[in-house]
Amino acid sequence: MSRLAPLPGVRVRIALTDRPGDHAVVRVIAVPRRDMVRDGALSVPLQPFADALLVDVSVEGRVLLPGAWVQPEVLERGAPIAPTPVGAADLRPPAVLAGTPDRAALHWGETVWPLELGGAVTIPEAGRADPHPLSRLRRLILVAAGRRAEIALTMWRDPAFEIPWQDVRLLPRAAAWFDLAQVPPGMRYADAERAQGVGRAHRR
């Protein structure tokens, strides 16, 4: 892959196992430093992903991960295939936990939902904001496909959310973290942007 930032829609094929034809397709949705800056800078929740890529991942034509932060090596080590268009509805950042135990926050794209934990819960280092290398993305895809048990990964699924898969690693019962963060039930990412005045709803 080129060292230049890939354009939205660029796709690569990555092998899931050694079995012929067992692969996933990774599509670039956005490059934060180019596509997600506001007033010349990235918002605080996006800063841990300044050098990452926002992608979606599909297997056999079905989108398994509508949003994932990955390291550029994922594209560099994949096999390029024909690009496909990316629309505004494809911008679906995953949720991650950031901060310290006494000041933790659930970051959902550019939104920030405070977790009022009072230091009572420790967030494992591996559960913090950290773009996936290829090896971890491969495991995440296998978990999302139901082909592998949860191994160092906790996935929470709620069909009421616009983003059905939330990637919050190493945290048992991750749905409880969304409850603690008081993310309104059924709130979509676009609604959260409007509620917090960030992202596409940012007032210039």
Side-chain angles (χ1 to χ4, degrees), residues 15 21 38 54 80 91 100 102 109 111 121 129 132 164 202:
R38 309 289 173 186
L54 178 62
L91 184 66
T100 59
D102 59 332
T111 67
V121 176
H132 299 298
H202 180 66

Side-chain angles (χ1 to χ4, degrees), residues 23-200:
H23 64 263
V25 173
V26 179
R27 179 178 65 157
V28 175
I29 301 301
V31 176
R33 286 191 188 278
R34 183 193 61 215
D35 305 321
M36 305 179 82
V37 294
R38 309 289 173 186
D39 300 323
L42 284 175
S43 62
V44 172
L46 292 179
Q47 288 174 7
F49 310 106
D51 298 318
L53 303 173
L54 178 62
V55 302
D56 64 16
V57 183
S58 58
V59 174
E60 297 180 348
R62 182 168 67 101
V63 177
L64 291 182
L65 297 174
W69 293 111
V70 302
Q71 296 178 9
E73 69 149 4
V74 170
L75 288 197
E76 294 165 3
R77 296 175 61 185
I81 58 177
T84 60
V86 170
D90 296 321
L91 184 66
R92 297 184 177 189
V96 297
L97 288 162
T100 59
D102 59 332
R103 295 185 64 83
L106 179 79
H107 288 185
W108 183 16
E110 293 186 74
T111 67
V112 181
W113 300 95
L115 296 174
E116 301 296 337
L117 301 178
V121 176
T122 300
I123 302 171
E125 286 298 323
R128 299 180 186 278
D130 180 26
H132 299 298
L134 179 60
S135 59
R136 196 164 61 209
L137 179 66
R138 186 180 287 118
R139 292 199 307 269
L140 186 64
I141 296 167
L142 292 173
V143 171
R147 292 168 50 185
R148 187 165 177 173
E150 295 179 347
I151 301 175
L153 295 164
T154 295
M155 304 299 299
W156 169 55
R157 187 172 187 175
D158 184 344
F161 271 76
E162 178 184 17
I163 307 172
W165 283 102
Q166 303 290 348
D167 172 8
V168 184
R169 297 184 302 280
L170 294 175
L171 300 173
R173 298 172 298 281
W177 289 79
F178 282 76
D179 293 337
L180 286 168
Q182 299 178 359
V183 177
M187 175 168 274
R188 299 172 2 130
Y189 181 61
D191 299 328
E193 284 183 314
R194 285 191 289 273
Q196 297 192 3
V198 297
R200 289 161 292 184

